[in-house]
Amino acid sequence: SELDSIKGIGEKSKQQLLNHFKSVKRIKSATIDELVAVIGKSGLPKILRVSFTIFISSFVYPLSVKTSM
């Protein structure tokens, strides 16, 4: 899954997120508060990595798509 590419996110955190949100798409649309509710405040650095990675990927991936003319 896309969560595998986020450094510092362990199997337990991935499972917790997927069990709660049911899909990566729903994890991506979750708020920080919703993510904290699942992983807990001690997991805040992980949550920030997830949020930042998702935020950055929304800018990087569209720019890497080539269009033909």
Side-chain angles (χ1 to χ4, degrees):
S1 92
E2 291 179 59
L3 297 178
D4 294 329
S5 65
I6 302 172
K7 188 176 181 176
I9 301 295
E11 285 301 316
K12 182 179 176 184
S13 296
K14 285 185 239 181
Q15 274 310 122
Q16 287 175 317
L17 290 167
L18 288 171
N19 286 341
H20 181 82
F21 292 104
K22 309 296 185 211
S23 72
V24 172
K25 182 178 179 178
R26 290 182 65 196
I27 293 169
K28 286 180 173 185
S29 65
T31 65
I32 296 291
D33 290 336
E34 291 171 324
L35 295 169
V36 168
V38 175
I39 296 180
K41 285 187 180 185
S42 64
L44 190 57
K46 294 177 188 178
I47 291 167
L48 294 175
R49 272 194 293 277
V50 170
S51 298
F52 183 73
T53 302
I54 290 168
F55 174 75
I56 292 299
S57 69
S58 68
F59 290 102
V60 173
Y61 292 125
L63 294 175
S64 65
V65 175
K66 294 182 180 179
T67 58
S68 60
M69 295 189 148

CSV table of all heavy atoms in Angstrom, one decimal:
chain,number,residue,atom,x,y,z
A,1,SER,N,0.8,-1.2,0.0
A,1,SER,CA,0.0,0.0,0.0
A,1,SER,C,0.9,1.2,0.0
A,1,SER,O,2.1,1.2,0.2
A,1,SER,CB,-0.9,0.0,1.2
A,1,SER,OG,-0.4,0.6,2.3
A,2,GLU,N,0.3,2.4,-0.2
A,2,GLU,CA,1.0,3.7,-0.2
A,2,GLU,C,1.6,3.9,1.1
A,2,GLU,O,2.6,4.7,1.2
A,2,GLU,CB,0.1,4.8,-0.6
A,2,GLU,CG,-0.4,4.8,-2.1
A,2,GLU,CD,-1.3,5.9,-2.4
A,2,GLU,OE1,-0.9,7.1,-2.2
A,2,GLU,OE2,-2.5,5.7,-2.8
A,3,LEU,N,1.1,3.4,2.2
A,3,LEU,CA,1.6,3.6,3.5
A,3,LEU,C,3.0,3.0,3.7
A,3,LEU,O,3.8,3.5,4.5
A,3,LEU,CB,0.6,3.1,4.6
A,3,LEU,CG,-0.8,3.7,4.6
A,3,LEU,CD1,-1.6,3.0,5.7
A,3,LEU,CD2,-0.7,5.2,4.9
A,4,ASP,N,3.3,2.0,2.9
A,4,ASP,CA,4.6,1.3,3.0
A,4,ASP,C,5.7,2.3,2.6
A,4,ASP,O,6.9,2.1,3.0
A,4,ASP,CB,4.7,0.1,2.1
A,4,ASP,CG,3.7,-1.0,2.5
A,4,ASP,OD1,3.5,-1.1,3.8
A,4,ASP,OD2,3.2,-1.7,1.7
A,5,SER,N,5.4,3.3,1.8
A,5,SER,CA,6.5,4.2,1.3
A,5,SER,C,6.8,5.3,2.3
A,5,SER,O,7.7,6.1,2.1
A,5,SER,CB,6.1,4.8,0.0
A,5,SER,OG,4.9,5.6,0.1
A,6,ILE,N,6.0,5.4,3.4
A,6,ILE,CA,6.2,6.5,4.4
A,6,ILE,C,7.1,5.9,5.5
A,6,ILE,O,6.8,5.0,6.3
A,6,ILE,CB,4.9,6.9,5.0
A,6,ILE,CG1,4.0,7.4,3.9
A,6,ILE,CG2,5.1,8.0,6.1
A,6,ILE,CD1,2.5,7.7,4.4
A,7,LYS,N,8.3,6.5,5.6
A,7,LYS,CA,9.3,6.1,6.6
A,7,LYS,C,8.8,6.4,8.0
A,7,LYS,O,8.3,7.4,8.3
A,7,LYS,CB,10.6,6.9,6.3
A,7,LYS,CG,11.8,6.4,7.1
A,7,LYS,CD,13.0,7.2,6.8
A,7,LYS,CE,14.2,6.7,7.6
A,7,LYS,NZ,15.4,7.3,7.2
A,8,GLY,N,9.0,5.4,8.8
A,8,GLY,CA,8.7,5.5,10.3
A,8,GLY,C,7.3,5.0,10.6
A,8,GLY,O,6.9,4.9,11.8
A,9,ILE,N,6.5,4.6,9.6
A,9,ILE,CA,5.2,4.0,9.9
A,9,ILE,C,5.4,2.5,9.9
A,9,ILE,O,5.7,1.9,8.9
A,9,ILE,CB,4.2,4.4,8.8
A,9,ILE,CG1,4.1,5.9,8.7
A,9,ILE,CG2,2.8,3.7,9.0
A,9,ILE,CD1,3.5,6.6,9.9
A,10,GLY,N,5.1,2.0,11.1
A,10,GLY,CA,5.3,0.5,11.3
A,10,GLY,C,4.0,-0.3,11.0
A,10,GLY,O,3.0,0.3,10.7
A,11,GLU,N,4.2,-1.6,11.0
A,11,GLU,CA,3.0,-2.4,10.7
A,11,GLU,C,1.8,-2.2,11.6
A,11,GLU,O,0.7,-2.2,11.1
A,11,GLU,CB,3.5,-3.9,10.7
A,11,GLU,CG,4.3,-4.3,9.6
A,11,GLU,CD,3.6,-4.2,8.2
A,11,GLU,OE1,2.4,-4.5,8.1
A,11,GLU,OE2,4.3,-3.7,7.3
A,12,LYS,N,2.1,-2.0,12.9
A,12,LYS,CA,1.0,-1.8,13.8
A,12,LYS,C,0.2,-0.5,13.5
A,12,LYS,O,-1.0,-0.6,13.4
A,12,LYS,CB,1.5,-1.7,15.2
A,12,LYS,CG,0.5,-1.6,16.3
A,12,LYS,CD,1.1,-1.5,17.7
A,12,LYS,CE,0.0,-1.2,18.7
A,12,LYS,NZ,0.5,-1.1,20.1
A,13,SER,N,0.9,0.6,13.2
A,13,SER,CA,0.3,1.8,12.8
A,13,SER,C,-0.5,1.7,11.5
A,13,SER,O,-1.6,2.2,11.4
A,13,SER,CB,1.3,2.9,12.7
A,13,SER,OG,1.9,3.2,14.0
A,14,LYS,N,0.1,1.0,10.5
A,14,LYS,CA,-0.6,0.8,9.3
A,14,LYS,C,-1.9,0.0,9.5
A,14,LYS,O,-2.9,0.4,8.9
A,14,LYS,CB,0.3,0.1,8.3
A,14,LYS,CG,1.4,0.9,7.7
A,14,LYS,CD,2.2,0.1,6.7
A,14,LYS,CE,3.6,0.0,7.1
A,14,LYS,NZ,4.5,-0.8,6.2
A,15,GLN,N,-1.8,-1.0,10.3
A,15,GLN,CA,-3.0,-1.8,10.5
A,15,GLN,C,-4.1,-1.1,11.2
A,15,GLN,O,-5.2,-1.2,10.9
A,15,GLN,CB,-2.6,-3.1,11.3
A,15,GLN,CG,-2.2,-4.3,10.4
A,15,GLN,CD,-3.1,-4.6,9.3
A,15,GLN,OE1,-2.7,-4.5,8.1
A,15,GLN,NE2,-4.3,-4.8,9.5
A,16,GLN,N,-3.7,-0.3,12.2
A,16,GLN,CA,-4.6,0.5,13.0
A,16,GLN,C,-5.3,1.5,12.0
A,16,GLN,O,-6.6,1.7,12.1
A,16,GLN,CB,-3.9,1.3,14.1
A,16,GLN,CG,-3.5,0.5,15.2
A,16,GLN,CD,-2.7,1.3,16.3
A,16,GLN,OE1,-1.9,2.1,15.9
A,16,GLN,NE2,-3.0,1.1,17.5
A,17,LEU,N,-4.6,2.2,11.2
A,17,LEU,CA,-5.1,3.1,10.2
A,17,LEU,C,-6.1,2.5,9.2
A,17,LEU,O,-7.2,2.9,9.0
A,17,LEU,CB,-4.0,3.9,9.5
A,17,LEU,CG,-3.2,4.9,10.3
A,17,LEU,CD1,-2.0,5.3,9.6
A,17,LEU,CD2,-4.1,6.1,10.7
A,18,LEU,N,-5.6,1.4,8.7
A,18,LEU,CA,-6.5,0.7,7.7
A,18,LEU,C,-7.7,0.0,8.3
A,18,LEU,O,-8.8,0.0,7.7
A,18,LEU,CB,-5.6,-0.4,6.9
A,18,LEU,CG,-4.6,0.2,5.9
A,18,LEU,CD1,-3.7,-0.9,5.4
A,18,LEU,CD2,-5.3,0.9,4.8
A,19,ASN,N,-7.6,-0.5,9.5
A,19,ASN,CA,-8.7,-1.1,10.2
A,19,ASN,C,-9.8,0.0,10.5
A,19,ASN,O,-11.0,-0.3,10.4
A,19,ASN,CB,-8.3,-1.8,11.5
A,19,ASN,CG,-7.6,-3.1,11.3
A,19,ASN,OD1,-7.7,-3.7,10.2
A,19,ASN,ND2,-6.8,-3.5,12.3
A,20,HIS,N,-9.3,1.2,10.9
A,20,HIS,CA,-10.3,2.2,11.2
A,20,HIS,C,-10.9,2.9,10.0
A,20,HIS,O,-12.1,3.1,9.9
A,20,HIS,CB,-9.6,3.3,12.1
A,20,HIS,CG,-10.5,4.4,12.5
A,20,HIS,ND1,-11.4,4.2,13.5
A,20,HIS,CD2,-10.7,5.6,12.0
A,20,HIS,CE1,-12.1,5.4,13.7
A,20,HIS,NE2,-11.7,6.2,12.7
A,21,PHE,N,-10.0,3.3,9.0
A,21,PHE,CA,-10.5,4.1,7.9
A,21,PHE,C,-10.9,3.2,6.7
A,21,PHE,O,-11.5,3.7,5.8
A,21,PHE,CB,-9.4,5.1,7.4
A,21,PHE,CG,-9.2,6.2,8.4
A,21,PHE,CD1,-8.1,6.1,9.3
A,21,PHE,CD2,-10.1,7.2,8.6
A,21,PHE,CE1,-7.8,7.1,10.2
A,21,PHE,CE2,-9.9,8.2,9.5
A,21,PHE,CZ,-8.8,8.2,10.3
A,22,LYS,N,-10.4,1.9,6.7
A,22,LYS,CA,-10.8,1.0,5.6
A,22,LYS,C,-10.1,1.1,4.3
A,22,LYS,O,-10.2,0.2,3.4
A,22,LYS,CB,-12.3,0.9,5.4
A,22,LYS,CG,-13.1,0.7,6.7
A,22,LYS,CD,-12.9,-0.6,7.3
A,22,LYS,CE,-13.8,-0.8,8.5
A,22,LYS,NZ,-13.2,-1.6,9.6
A,23,SER,N,-9.5,2.3,4.0
A,23,SER,CA,-8.8,2.5,2.7
A,23,SER,C,-7.8,3.6,2.8
A,23,SER,O,-7.9,4.5,3.7
A,23,SER,CB,-9.8,2.8,1.6
A,23,SER,OG,-10.3,4.1,1.8
A,24,VAL,N,-6.8,3.6,1.9
A,24,VAL,CA,-5.8,4.6,1.9
A,24,VAL,C,-6.5,5.9,1.5
A,24,VAL,O,-6.1,7.0,2.0
A,24,VAL,CB,-4.7,4.3,0.9
A,24,VAL,CG1,-3.7,5.4,0.8
A,24,VAL,CG2,-3.9,3.0,1.4
A,25,LYS,N,-7.4,5.9,0.6
A,25,LYS,CA,-8.1,7.1,0.2
A,25,LYS,C,-8.8,7.8,1.4
A,25,LYS,O,-8.7,9.0,1.5
A,25,LYS,CB,-9.2,6.8,-0.8
A,25,LYS,CG,-9.9,7.9,-1.4
A,25,LYS,CD,-10.9,7.5,-2.4
A,25,LYS,CE,-11.7,8.8,-3.0
A,25,LYS,NZ,-12.6,8.4,-4.0
A,26,ARG,N,-9.4,7.0,2.3
A,26,ARG,CA,-10.0,7.6,3.5
A,26,ARG,C,-9.0,8.1,4.5
A,26,ARG,O,-9.2,9.1,5.1
A,26,ARG,CB,-11.0,6.6,4.1
A,26,ARG,CG,-12.2,6.4,3.2
A,26,ARG,CD,-13.2,5.5,3.8
A,26,ARG,NE,-13.8,6.1,5.0
A,26,ARG,CZ,-14.5,5.4,5.9
A,26,ARG,NH1,-14.7,4.1,5.8
A,26,ARG,NH2,-14.9,6.0,7.0
A,27,ILE,N,-7.8,7.5,4.5
A,27,ILE,CA,-6.8,7.9,5.4
A,27,ILE,C,-6.3,9.3,4.9
A,27,ILE,O,-6.1,10.2,5.7
A,27,ILE,CB,-5.6,6.9,5.5
A,27,ILE,CG1,-6.0,5.6,6.2
A,27,ILE,CG2,-4.4,7.5,6.2
A,27,ILE,CD1,-5.1,4.5,6.0
A,28,LYS,N,-6.1,9.4,3.6
A,28,LYS,CA,-5.7,10.7,3.0
A,28,LYS,C,-6.6,11.8,3.3
A,28,LYS,O,-6.2,13.0,3.4
A,28,LYS,CB,-5.6,10.5,1.5
A,28,LYS,CG,-4.4,9.7,1.0
A,28,LYS,CD,-4.3,9.6,-0.5
A,28,LYS,CE,-3.1,9.0,-1.0
A,28,LYS,NZ,-3.0,9.0,-2.5
A,29,SER,N,-7.9,11.5,3.4
A,29,SER,CA,-8.9,12.6,3.6
A,29,SER,C,-9.1,12.9,5.1
A,29,SER,O,-9.9,13.8,5.4
A,29,SER,CB,-10.2,12.3,2.9
A,29,SER,OG,-10.8,11.2,3.4
A,30,ALA,N,-8.5,12.1,6.0
A,30,ALA,CA,-8.7,12.3,7.4
A,30,ALA,C,-8.0,13.5,7.9
A,30,ALA,O,-7.0,14.0,7.4
A,30,ALA,CB,-8.2,11.1,8.1
A,31,THR,N,-8.6,14.1,9.0
A,31,THR,CA,-8.0,15.3,9.6
A,31,THR,C,-6.9,14.8,10.6
A,31,THR,O,-6.9,13.6,10.9
A,31,THR,CB,-9.0,16.1,10.4
A,31,THR,OG1,-9.5,15.3,11.5
A,31,THR,CG2,-10.2,16.5,9.5
A,32,ILE,N,-6.0,15.7,11.0
A,32,ILE,CA,-5.0,15.3,12.0
A,32,ILE,C,-5.7,14.8,13.3
A,32,ILE,O,-5.3,13.8,13.9
A,32,ILE,CB,-4.2,16.6,12.4
A,32,ILE,CG1,-3.4,17.1,11.2
A,32,ILE,CG2,-3.2,16.3,13.5
A,32,ILE,CD1,-2.3,16.1,10.7
A,33,ASP,N,-6.8,15.4,13.7
A,33,ASP,CA,-7.5,14.9,14.9
A,33,ASP,C,-8.0,13.5,14.7
A,33,ASP,O,-8.0,12.7,15.7
A,33,ASP,CB,-8.7,15.9,15.2
A,33,ASP,CG,-8.2,17.2,15.7
A,33,ASP,OD1,-7.1,17.3,16.3
A,33,ASP,OD2,-9.0,18.2,15.6
A,34,GLU,N,-8.5,13.2,13.6
A,34,GLU,CA,-9.0,11.8,13.3
A,34,GLU,C,-7.8,10.8,13.3
A,34,GLU,O,-8.0,9.7,13.9
A,34,GLU,CB,-9.7,11.7,12.0
A,34,GLU,CG,-11.0,12.5,11.9
A,34,GLU,CD,-11.6,12.6,10.5
A,34,GLU,OE1,-10.9,12.8,9.6
A,34,GLU,OE2,-12.9,12.6,10.4
A,35,LEU,N,-6.7,11.2,12.8
A,35,LEU,CA,-5.5,10.3,12.8
A,35,LEU,C,-5.0,10.2,14.2
A,35,LEU,O,-4.7,9.0,14.6
A,35,LEU,CB,-4.4,10.9,11.9
A,35,LEU,CG,-4.8,11.0,10.4
A,35,LEU,CD1,-3.7,11.8,9.7
A,35,LEU,CD2,-4.9,9.6,9.8
A,36,VAL,N,-5.0,11.2,15.0
A,36,VAL,CA,-4.6,11.1,16.4
A,36,VAL,C,-5.5,10.2,17.2
A,36,VAL,O,-5.1,9.4,18.0
A,36,VAL,CB,-4.5,12.5,17.1
A,36,VAL,CG1,-4.4,12.4,18.6
A,36,VAL,CG2,-3.4,13.3,16.5
A,37,ALA,N,-6.8,10.3,16.9
A,37,ALA,CA,-7.8,9.4,17.6
A,37,ALA,C,-7.5,7.9,17.4
A,37,ALA,O,-7.7,7.1,18.2
A,37,ALA,CB,-9.2,9.8,17.2
A,38,VAL,N,-6.9,7.6,16.2
A,38,VAL,CA,-6.6,6.2,15.9
A,38,VAL,C,-5.3,5.8,16.4
A,38,VAL,O,-5.1,4.7,17.1
A,38,VAL,CB,-6.7,6.0,14.3
A,38,VAL,CG1,-6.2,4.6,14.0
A,38,VAL,CG2,-8.1,6.3,13.8
A,39,ILE,N,-4.2,6.6,16.2
A,39,ILE,CA,-2.9,6.2,16.6
A,39,ILE,C,-2.5,6.7,18.0
A,39,ILE,O,-1.7,6.1,18.6
A,39,ILE,CB,-1.8,6.7,15.5
A,39,ILE,CG1,-2.1,6.1,14.2
A,39,ILE,CG2,-0.4,6.5,16.0
A,39,ILE,CD1,-1.1,6.6,13.1
A,40,GLY,N,-3.1,7.8,18.4
A,40,GLY,CA,-2.8,8.3,19.7
A,40,GLY,C,-1.8,9.5,19.6
A,40,GLY,O,-1.1,9.6,18.6
A,41,LYS,N,-1.7,10.3,20.7
A,41,LYS,CA,-0.8,11.4,20.7
A,41,LYS,C,0.6,11.0,20.6
A,41,LYS,O,1.5,11.7,20.1
A,41,LYS,CB,-1.1,12.3,21.9
A,41,LYS,CG,-2.3,13.1,21.8
A,41,LYS,CD,-2.5,14.1,22.9
A,41,LYS,CE,-3.8,14.9,22.7
A,41,LYS,NZ,-3.9,15.9,23.7
A,42,SER,N,1.0,9.9,21.2
A,42,SER,CA,2.4,9.5,21.1
A,42,SER,C,2.8,9.2,19.7
A,42,SER,O,4.0,9.2,19.3
A,42,SER,CB,2.6,8.2,22.0
A,42,SER,OG,1.9,7.1,21.5
A,43,GLY,N,1.8,8.9,18.8
A,43,GLY,CA,2.1,8.7,17.4
A,43,GLY,C,2.1,9.9,16.6
A,43,GLY,O,2.1,9.9,15.3
A,44,LEU,N,2.0,11.1,17.2
A,44,LEU,CA,2.0,12.3,16.5
A,44,LEU,C,3.1,12.5,15.4
A,44,LEU,O,2.8,12.9,14.3
A,44,LEU,CB,1.9,13.5,17.4
A,44,LEU,CG,1.6,14.9,16.8
A,44,LEU,CD1,0.2,14.8,16.1
A,44,LEU,CD2,1.6,16.0,17.9
A,45,PRO,N,4.3,12.2,15.7
A,45,PRO,CA,5.3,12.3,14.7
A,45,PRO,C,5.0,11.5,13.5
A,45,PRO,O,5.2,11.9,12.3
A,45,PRO,CB,6.6,11.9,15.4
A,45,PRO,CG,6.4,12.1,16.8
A,45,PRO,CD,4.9,11.9,17.0
A,46,LYS,N,4.5,10.3,13.7
A,46,LYS,CA,4.1,9.4,12.5
A,46,LYS,C,3.0,10.1,11.8
A,46,LYS,O,2.9,10.1,10.5
A,46,LYS,CB,3.6,8.1,13.0
A,46,LYS,CG,4.7,7.2,13.7
A,46,LYS,CD,4.1,6.0,14.2
A,46,LYS,CE,5.2,5.2,15.0
A,46,LYS,NZ,4.6,4.0,15.6
A,47,ILE,N,2.0,10.6,12.5
A,47,ILE,CA,0.8,11.2,11.8
A,47,ILE,C,1.3,12.4,11.0
A,47,ILE,O,0.8,12.6,9.9
A,47,ILE,CB,-0.2,11.7,12.9
A,47,ILE,CG1,-0.8,10.5,13.6
A,47,ILE,CG2,-1.2,12.6,12.3
A,47,ILE,CD1,-1.6,10.8,14.8
A,48,LEU,N,2.2,13.2,11.5
A,48,LEU,CA,2.7,14.3,10.7
A,48,LEU,C,3.4,13.9,9.5
A,48,LEU,O,3.3,14.5,8.4
A,48,LEU,CB,3.6,15.2,11.6
A,48,LEU,CG,2.8,15.9,12.8
A,48,LEU,CD1,3.8,16.7,13.7
A,48,LEU,CD2,1.7,16.8,12.3
A,49,ARG,N,4.2,12.8,9.6
A,49,ARG,CA,4.9,12.2,8.4
A,49,ARG,C,3.9,11.8,7.4
A,49,ARG,O,4.0,12.1,6.2
A,49,ARG,CB,5.8,11.1,8.8
A,49,ARG,CG,7.2,11.5,9.2
A,49,ARG,CD,8.1,10.3,9.2
A,49,ARG,NE,7.8,9.4,10.3
A,49,ARG,CZ,8.2,9.5,11.5
A,49,ARG,NH1,8.9,10.5,11.9
A,49,ARG,NH2,7.9,8.6,12.4
A,50,VAL,N,2.8,11.1,7.8
A,50,VAL,CA,1.7,10.7,6.9
A,50,VAL,C,1.1,11.9,6.2
A,50,VAL,O,1.0,11.9,5.0
A,50,VAL,CB,0.6,9.9,7.7
A,50,VAL,CG1,-0.5,9.6,6.8
A,50,VAL,CG2,1.2,8.5,8.2
A,51,SER,N,0.7,12.9,7.0
A,51,SER,CA,0.1,14.1,6.5
A,51,SER,C,1.0,14.8,5.5
A,51,SER,O,0.5,15.2,4.5
A,51,SER,CB,-0.4,15.0,7.6
A,51,SER,OG,-1.3,14.3,8.4
A,52,PHE,N,2.2,15.0,5.9
A,52,PHE,CA,3.2,15.7,5.1
A,52,PHE,C,3.4,15.0,3.8
A,52,PHE,O,3.4,15.6,2.7
A,52,PHE,CB,4.5,16.0,5.8
A,52,PHE,CG,5.5,16.8,5.0
A,52,PHE,CD1,5.3,18.1,4.8
A,52,PHE,CD2,6.6,16.2,4.4
A,52,PHE,CE1,6.2,18.9,4.1
A,52,PHE,CE2,7.5,16.9,3.7
A,52,PHE,CZ,7.3,18.3,3.5
A,53,THR,N,3.6,13.7,3.8
A,53,THR,CA,3.8,12.9,2.6
A,53,THR,C,2.7,12.9,1.7
A,53,THR,O,2.8,13.1,0.5
A,53,THR,CB,4.1,11.4,3.0
A,53,THR,OG1,5.3,11.4,3.9
A,53,THR,CG2,4.4,10.6,1.8
A,54,ILE,N,1.4,12.8,2.2
A,54,ILE,CA,0.2,12.9,1.4
A,54,ILE,C,0.1,14.3,0.8
A,54,ILE,O,-0.2,14.5,-0.4
A,54,ILE,CB,-1.0,12.6,2.2
A,54,ILE,CG1,-1.0,11.1,2.6
A,54,ILE,CG2,-2.3,13.0,1.5
A,54,ILE,CD1,-2.0,10.7,3.6
A,55,PHE,N,0.4,15.4,1.6
A,55,PHE,CA,0.4,16.7,1.1
A,55,PHE,C,1.3,17.0,-0.1
A,55,PHE,O,1.0,17.5,-1.1
A,55,PHE,CB,0.6,17.7,2.2
A,55,PHE,CG,0.7,19.1,1.8
A,55,PHE,CD1,-0.4,19.9,1.5
A,55,PHE,CD2,2.0,19.8,1.7
A,55,PHE,CE1,-0.3,21.2,1.1
A,55,PHE,CE2,2.1,21.1,1.4
A,55,PHE,CZ,0.9,21.8,1.0
A,56,ILE,N,2.6,16.5,0.1
A,56,ILE,CA,3.6,16.7,-0.9
A,56,ILE,C,3.3,15.9,-2.1
A,56,ILE,O,3.5,16.4,-3.2
A,56,ILE,CB,5.0,16.3,-0.3
A,56,ILE,CG1,5.4,17.4,0.8
A,56,ILE,CG2,6.1,16.3,-1.4
A,56,ILE,CD1,5.6,18.8,0.3
A,57,SER,N,2.8,14.7,-1.9
A,57,SER,CA,2.5,13.8,-3.1
A,57,SER,C,1.4,14.4,-4.0
A,57,SER,O,1.4,14.2,-5.2
A,57,SER,CB,2.2,12.4,-2.7
A,57,SER,OG,0.9,12.4,-2.0
A,58,SER,N,0.6,15.2,-3.4
A,58,SER,CA,-0.5,15.8,-4.2
A,58,SER,C,0.0,16.9,-5.1
A,58,SER,O,-0.6,17.2,-6.1
A,58,SER,CB,-1.6,16.4,-3.3
A,58,SER,OG,-1.1,17.6,-2.6
A,59,PHE,N,1.2,17.4,-4.8
A,59,PHE,CA,1.9,18.4,-5.7
A,59,PHE,C,2.9,17.7,-6.7
A,59,PHE,O,3.0,18.1,-7.8
A,59,PHE,CB,2.6,19.5,-4.9
A,59,PHE,CG,1.7,20.4,-4.2
A,59,PHE,CD1,1.5,20.2,-2.8
A,59,PHE,CD2,1.0,21.4,-4.9
A,59,PHE,CE1,0.6,21.1,-2.2
A,59,PHE,CE2,0.1,22.2,-4.2
A,59,PHE,CZ,-0.1,22.1,-2.9
A,60,VAL,N,3.6,16.7,-6.2
A,60,VAL,CA,4.7,16.1,-7.0
A,60,VAL,C,4.1,15.2,-8.1
A,60,VAL,O,4.5,15.4,-9.2
A,60,VAL,CB,5.6,15.3,-6.1
A,60,VAL,CG1,6.6,14.5,-6.9
A,60,VAL,CG2,6.3,16.2,-5.1
A,61,TYR,N,3.2,14.4,-7.8
A,61,TYR,CA,2.7,13.4,-8.8
A,61,TYR,C,2.0,14.1,-9.9
A,61,TYR,O,2.2,13.7,-11.1
A,61,TYR,CB,1.8,12.3,-8.1
A,61,TYR,CG,2.6,11.4,-7.2
A,61,TYR,CD1,2.2,11.3,-5.9
A,61,TYR,CD2,3.7,10.8,-7.6
A,61,TYR,CE1,3.0,10.4,-5.0
A,61,TYR,CE2,4.5,10.0,-6.8
A,61,TYR,CZ,4.1,9.8,-5.5
A,61,TYR,OH,4.8,9.0,-4.7
A,62,PRO,N,1.1,15.1,-9.8
A,62,PRO,CA,0.5,15.7,-11.0
A,62,PRO,C,1.6,16.4,-11.9
A,62,PRO,O,1.4,16.4,-13.1
A,62,PRO,CB,-0.4,16.7,-10.4
A,62,PRO,CG,-0.7,16.3,-9.0
A,62,PRO,CD,0.5,15.5,-8.5
A,63,LEU,N,2.6,16.9,-11.3
A,63,LEU,CA,3.7,17.5,-12.1
A,63,LEU,C,4.5,16.5,-12.9
A,63,LEU,O,5.1,16.9,-13.9
A,63,LEU,CB,4.6,18.4,-11.2
A,63,LEU,CG,3.9,19.6,-10.5
A,63,LEU,CD1,4.9,20.2,-9.6
A,63,LEU,CD2,3.4,20.6,-11.5
A,64,SER,N,4.6,15.3,-12.4
A,64,SER,CA,5.4,14.3,-13.1
A,64,SER,C,4.6,13.6,-14.2
A,64,SER,O,5.2,12.9,-15.0
A,64,SER,CB,5.9,13.2,-12.1
A,64,SER,OG,4.8,12.5,-11.6
A,65,VAL,N,3.4,13.9,-14.4
A,65,VAL,CA,2.6,13.3,-15.5
A,65,VAL,C,2.8,14.1,-16.7
A,65,VAL,O,2.7,15.3,-16.8
A,65,VAL,CB,1.1,13.3,-15.1
A,65,VAL,CG1,0.3,12.8,-16.3
A,65,VAL,CG2,0.8,12.5,-13.9
A,66,LYS,N,3.3,13.4,-17.8
A,66,LYS,CA,3.5,14.1,-19.1
A,66,LYS,C,2.3,14.0,-19.9
A,66,LYS,O,1.6,13.0,-20.0
A,66,LYS,CB,4.7,13.4,-19.8
A,66,LYS,CG,6.0,13.5,-19.1
A,66,LYS,CD,7.1,12.8,-19.8
A,66,LYS,CE,8.4,13.0,-19.1
A,66,LYS,NZ,9.5,12.4,-19.8
A,67,THR,N,2.1,15.1,-20.7
A,67,THR,CA,0.9,15.1,-21.6
A,67,THR,C,1.5,15.2,-23.0
A,67,THR,O,2.5,15.8,-23.2
A,67,THR,CB,0.0,16.3,-21.3
A,67,THR,OG1,0.8,17.5,-21.5
A,67,THR,CG2,-0.6,16.2,-20.0
A,68,SER,N,0.8,14.5,-23.9
A,68,SER,CA,1.3,14.6,-25.3
A,68,SER,C,0.5,15.6,-26.1
A,68,SER,O,-0.7,15.9,-25.8
A,68,SER,CB,1.2,13.2,-26.0
A,68,SER,OG,-0.2,12.8,-25.9
A,69,MET,N,1.2,16.3,-27.0
A,69,MET,CA,0.5,17.3,-27.8
A,69,MET,C,0.5,16.9,-29.3
A,69,MET,O,1.3,16.3,-29.8
A,69,MET,CB,1.2,18.6,-27.7
A,69,MET,CG,1.1,19.2,-26.3
A,69,MET,SD,1.7,20.8,-26.3
A,69,MET,CE,0.8,21.5,-25.1
